[in-house]
Amino acid sequence: MPVVTNGRLIYVQHPTTHYEPGVHTKYVEEQLDTDTVPLNGGVLIKTLVVSADPYMRYRMRDPNIPHFSPAVVIGQPIDNFVIGTILRSEDPQFAAGDYVSAFSTFETYAVYPGPKELQHFLKYIVKIPKPENLPLSIFLGTCGLPGKTAYSAWKIFGEPKAKTSKTLFVSGAAGPLGTFVVEYAKITSPHLKVIACAGSQQKVDILKSVGADVAFNYKEADVNKVLAENGPIDIYWDNVAGSITDAALQNMNMFGTIIACGAISGASNPKDGAVTNFGLIFQKVITVHGFLYGFGDDAQKALGTFDADIMPLVASGKITSREHRYQGLQEAERALAEVHSGKNVGKSIVIVSHE
Amino acid sequence: MPVVTNGRLIYVQHPTTHYEPGVHTKYVEEQLDTDTVPLNGGVLIKTLVVSADPYMRYRMRDPNIPHFSPAVVIGQPIDNFVIGTILRSEDPQFAAGDYVSAFSTFETYAVYPGPKELQHFLKYIVKIPKPENLPLSIFLGTCGLPGKTAYSAWKIFGEPKAKTSKTLFVSGAAGPLGTFVVEYAKITSPHLKVIACAGSQQKVDILKSVGADVAFNYKEADVNKVLAENGPIDIYWDNVAGSITDAALQNMNMFGTIIACGAISGASNPKDGAVTNFGLIFQKVITVHGFLYGFGDDAQKALGTFDADIMPLVASGKITSREHRYQGLQEAERALAEVHSGKNVGKSIVIVSHE
């Protein structure tokens, strides 16, 4: 080394329905001289772990279609949250050997900030401590985007409403965001009956293990019936939209609250995410709070208390994590495909390099 | 008189899709002795005007289907808001000759409270003054359910949000609730650009006459295009759900507010009210406030300031009214059918008797 093989996951074309590895992205390997690659005042990251998140499907689109997240750029690598170590730095805030959490490219060796086209979204790179008894990848899951999203939306909307509520229903609950909601709701509001659903028996077992009072497989159960038997629902944490949200609306209590945090059922095909019972929102005087990580003053403020509130709970095992690990950047395509179809169990991460 | 002919609109069977006169209801005439009909401590109302409202379609259903409004009862008359005069009274609060606004039966002569089956919903009867330059029926429209709904939801959700907003879009805007919203929004928040739509050229002309900056016929225009040209939308007042709400979501601003006040597109067939873009609620960090007349502390409180805020504006012509009048209780069926299909222009009322 200095000349190394650099794996890169390049975005090739827009999917119209489901994302397909090898079709919409392509994994390539190129030679890179880590000693001489220009940093332009930035840093060179050796990527250790990259995160595959459901929202990434939204970024795979024609850039002319407006969306909160910028489209990924054809011909450029996919980018998202990663964990890495600094190899070289021209930025005085970072030194070789530092561990960082960053919004960076799916490359074994990544210059941050990367190409100008990729500097449009989230300028984000922070030093992270190496945790004692936890993997560094905790900063991609429980202590990263999914955990912080769950924490801040629950803090802002869930916890206050829980004071006058009896039941919480969480859909798409077996992922890192969903299990966080189940566990943290039980910690802050132990009187709540928590109903949770996911798409396989293995995931249902996870829901039970994290404390859901009622856990079911929506692919096999009569969702309406389960909710009718265990409702009415006062708070609905919606990660999915579509038919499960229809059933939730059908079984919500008057004056209920929906925390709308995802709509994965319609991510590949909008029609699958349609909500027929939209009219029940007014008929039941329901409030729906759309929530997006870090957007808005309240969301920013809530992030400020995350470390103090949550790190002790993670350290003591009261908030738990499960990871679905893929080995090698060449597996990132499979990770993306599976996180979009729900085949992953736990936080989906790709181990790119070992330290 | 005392023996009079009493017209009655009887509920006969549940519609599965659209309501049809003569099939789901039946107009009958019976003889009634107004001197001897038992009042059981109540009053005998000579009905002057009855109101036909879109929400009534929800009441025409199997009573086992839960809903905020109770089902109308097969074999009993339809009931809703009416205006009448007292003929006889056993209730010390009312005397013969009083004008009242009440939730009462579609009968020329109605005993209030009526049959026990009909005492399930809204126990409501109040004396009303006879307005000087306005018809008594104003208490069914601008100063009744539609106007008070518009006023209170705008006061609670619209007016505060308007302070940081540029655009308001109102769907189903030509009815008594919609024109109230357009006019009152312009009064409280004159900086707002108000976009409004309805289903005919005649209704579009009404929207223009009440001050909408942009008015269009959703049946002929490309809704998405109109909203894209005039948006982004900061506040969406939704009376319809379905495809118009999809277009609104498509063109809403980040952090937008939806006041969900009706879903008439799905009232007869829920699929027509489906919202495919539900996922945009979280992606744009939108808040949706379901609202139902009088439900909740804030809604009750807002009603308390209605008279002081609104009656002067009605008297001075700053809040205007239009009525679609049907003559005779035998026309109530047509009024109901047309209010459900949007054929009425203005507040739909049926003149039952002249004073």
Side-chain angles (χ1 to χ4, degrees):
Chain A
M1 192 158 141
V3 173
V4 294
T5 300
N6 190 27
R8 311 179 78 204
L9 186 64
I10 306 296
Y11 186 56
V12 175
Q13 63 166 308
H14 311 309
T16 50
T17 59
H18 294 290
Y19 160 76
E20 280 183 60
V23 176
H24 305 112
T25 53
K26 195 173 173 186
Y27 175 74
V28 299
E29 293 187 341
E30 294 169 8
Q31 297 306 103
L32 182 82
D33 187 329
T34 56
D35 280 352
T36 60
V37 58
L39 301 186
N40 305 312
V43 297
L44 181 64
I45 299 172
K46 180 184 176 191
T47 308
L48 301 175
V49 198
V50 303
S51 177
D53 293 298
Y55 89 96
M56 294 171 74
R57 174 63 185 79
Y58 294 116
R59 299 188 58 208
M60 298 179 183
R61 66 176 198 282
D62 185 321
N64 294 318
I65 301 170
H67 194 263
F68 75 89
S69 72
V72 282
V73 180
I74 285 180
Q76 294 290 345
I78 297 282
D79 52 358
N80 193 31
F81 293 94
V82 312
I83 302 292
T85 55
I86 302 289
L87 281 189
R88 276 170 56 210
S89 175
E90 293 178 357
D91 181 336
Q93 295 181 77
F94 300 98
D98 285 349
Y99 292 100
V100 291
S101 165
F103 199 87
S104 178
T105 47
F106 277 33
E107 296 177 285
T108 322
Y109 299 89
V111 174
Y112 182 94
K116 207 175 169 194
E117 303 92 307
L118 303 182
Q119 296 175 27
H120 44 196
F121 184 26
L122 194 53
K123 283 213 137 190
Y124 167 74
I125 183 167
V126 291
K127 269 196 270 195
I128 50 174
K130 196 175 176 187
E132 271 184 36
N133 300 310
L134 296 163
L136 273 163
S137 50
I138 196 92
F139 292 105
L140 296 178
T142 304
C143 303
L145 177 71
K148 287 181 172 173
T149 301
Y151 168 79
S152 34
W154 181 257
K155 187 116 184 139
I156 299 166
F157 304 117
E159 205 175 326
K161 172 71 180 171
K163 287 176 187 154
T164 54
S165 297
K166 290 183 182 169
T167 53
L168 161 69
F169 171 47
V170 185
S171 62
L177 192 157
T179 56
F180 192 114
V181 172
V182 171
E183 290 181 319
Y184 194 54
K186 278 286 186 185
I187 290 167
T188 64
S189 317
H191 65 285
L192 284 180
K193 175 180 182 179
V194 178
I195 309 160
C197 74
S200 72
Q201 185 55 46
Q202 190 184 2
K203 291 181 180 180
V204 169
D205 292 343
I206 290 172
L207 298 180
K208 286 179 183 160
S209 77
V210 298
D213 299 291
V214 179
F216 65 97
N217 178 349
Y218 72 87
K219 290 179 180 167
E220 292 182 355
D222 179 336
V223 180
N224 235 315
K225 193 158 162 267
V226 177
L227 297 180
E229 282 166 5
N230 292 286
I233 300 161
D234 295 306
I235 308 173
Y236 170 42
W237 187 296
D238 184 11
N239 291 319
V240 299
S243 63
I244 294 176
T245 296
D246 273 334
L249 280 163
Q250 195 71 52
N251 292 287
M252 281 194 79
N253 210 347
M254 293 292 293
F255 302 108
T257 287
I258 297 179
I259 300 167
C261 207
I264 196 63
S265 65
S268 293
N269 186 347
K271 281 193 180 163
D272 294 337
V275 172
T276 303
N277 284 337
F278 190 86
L280 292 180
I281 293 170
F282 97 87
Q283 292 171 42
K284 295 187 175 185
V285 198
I286 288 168
T287 307
V288 187
H289 299 286
F291 187 82
L292 206 55
Y293 172 81
F295 273 71
D297 294 342
D298 289 344
Q300 281 296 330
K301 194 180 157 209
L303 289 176
T305 49
F306 181 87
D307 284 354
D309 278 0
I310 300 304
M311 294 313 279
L313 296 171
V314 174
S316 65
K318 286 184 180 157
I319 290 184
T320 61
S321 298
R322 281 143 301 278
E323 288 184 341
H324 194 120
R325 292 176 165 229
Y326 298 83
Q327 298 294 336
L329 190 57
Q330 66 281 6
E331 285 287 272
E333 292 185 295
R334 195 158 64 88
L336 286 174
E338 294 189 352
V339 83
H340 293 142
S341 64
K343 282 195 192 129
N344 61 307
V345 178
K347 175 69 194 103
S348 182
I349 58 165
V350 182
I351 309 296
V352 178
S353 308
H354 294 279
E355 294 178 59
Chain B
M1 187 156 145
V3 173
V4 294
T5 300
N6 190 26
R8 311 179 78 203
L9 186 62
I10 306 295
Y11 186 56
V12 175
Q13 63 166 307
H14 310 309
T16 51
T17 60
H18 295 288
Y19 160 75
E20 280 183 62
V23 175
H24 304 112
T25 52
K26 195 173 173 187
Y27 174 75
V28 298
E29 293 186 342
E30 294 169 9
Q31 297 307 104
L32 181 82
D33 187 330
T34 55
D35 280 352
T36 59
V37 57
L39 302 187
N40 305 310
V43 298
L44 180 65
I45 300 172
K46 180 185 177 188
T47 308
L48 300 175
V49 197
V50 303
S51 177
D53 293 296
Y55 90 97
M56 294 171 74
R57 174 62 184 78
Y58 294 115
R59 300 188 58 207
M60 299 178 181
R61 67 176 198 281
D62 184 321
N64 293 317
I65 301 170
H67 193 264
F68 75 87
S69 72
V72 282
V73 181
I74 286 180
Q76 293 291 345
I78 297 282
D79 52 358
N80 192 32
F81 293 94
V82 313
I83 303 292
T85 54
I86 302 289
L87 281 191
R88 276 171 56 211
S89 175
E90 293 177 357
D91 180 335
Q93 295 180 75
F94 300 97
D98 285 347
Y99 291 100
V100 291
S101 167
F103 198 88
S104 179
T105 47
F106 277 33
E107 295 177 286
T108 321
Y109 298 90
V111 174
Y112 182 93
K116 209 176 168 193
E117 303 90 305
L118 303 181
Q119 296 176 26
H120 44 195
F121 184 25
L122 193 55
K123 281 215 138 190
Y124 168 75
I125 183 167
V126 291
K127 268 195 266 193
I128 51 173
K130 196 174 177 186
E132 271 184 35
N133 299 310
L134 296 164
L136 273 165
S137 51
I138 197 90
F139 291 106
L140 296 178
T142 304
C143 303
L145 177 71
K148 288 181 172 175
T149 301
Y151 168 79
S152 35
W154 181 258
K155 187 117 183 141
I156 299 167
F157 304 117
E159 205 175 327
K161 171 73 180 168
K163 286 176 189 155
T164 55
S165 297
K166 290 182 180 168
T167 52
L168 162 69
F169 171 46
V170 186
S171 63
L177 192 157
T179 56
F180 192 113
V181 173
V182 171
E183 290 181 319
Y184 194 54
K186 278 287 186 186
I187 291 166
T188 64
S189 316
H191 65 284
L192 283 180
K193 175 180 181 179
V194 178
I195 310 160
C197 74
S200 72
Q201 185 55 46
Q202 190 183 3
K203 290 180 181 180
V204 169
D205 293 341
I206 291 172
L207 298 180
K208 287 178 183 160
S209 77
V210 298
D213 300 290
V214 179
F216 66 96
N217 178 350
Y218 72 89
K219 290 179 180 168
E220 291 181 356
D222 179 337
V223 180
N224 236 315
K225 193 159 164 268
V226 177
L227 297 180
E229 282 167 4
N230 292 286
I233 300 160
D234 296 305
I235 308 174
Y236 170 42
W237 187 296
D238 184 10
N239 291 321
V240 300
S243 62
I244 295 176
T245 296
D246 273 334
L249 279 163
Q250 195 70 51
N251 292 287
M252 279 194 80
N253 211 346
M254 293 291 293
F255 302 108
T257 288
I258 297 179
I259 300 167
C261 207
I264 196 64
S265 66
S268 294
N269 186 347
K271 282 192 179 161
D272 294 339
V275 172
T276 303
N277 285 336
F278 190 85
L280 293 179
I281 293 170
F282 97 88
Q283 293 171 41
K284 296 188 175 185
V285 198
I286 288 167
T287 306
V288 187
H289 298 287
F291 188 83
L292 206 56
Y293 173 80
F295 273 71
D297 295 343
D298 289 346
Q300 280 297 330
K301 193 178 157 209
L303 289 176
T305 50
F306 181 88
D307 284 355
D309 279 0
I310 300 304
M311 294 312 280
L313 296 170
V314 174
S316 66
K318 285 183 180 157
I319 290 184
T320 61
S321 299
R322 282 143 299 279
E323 288 183 342
H324 195 121
R325 295 178 164 227
Y326 298 83
Q327 298 295 335
L329 190 58
Q330 66 280 8
E331 284 288 272
E333 292 186 294
R334 193 158 66 87
L336 287 173
E338 294 189 353
V339 84
H340 293 140
S341 64
K343 281 194 193 131
N344 61 307
V345 178
K347 175 68 195 103
S348 181
I349 57 166
V350 182
I351 309 296
V352 178
S353 307
H354 295 279
E355 296 176 58

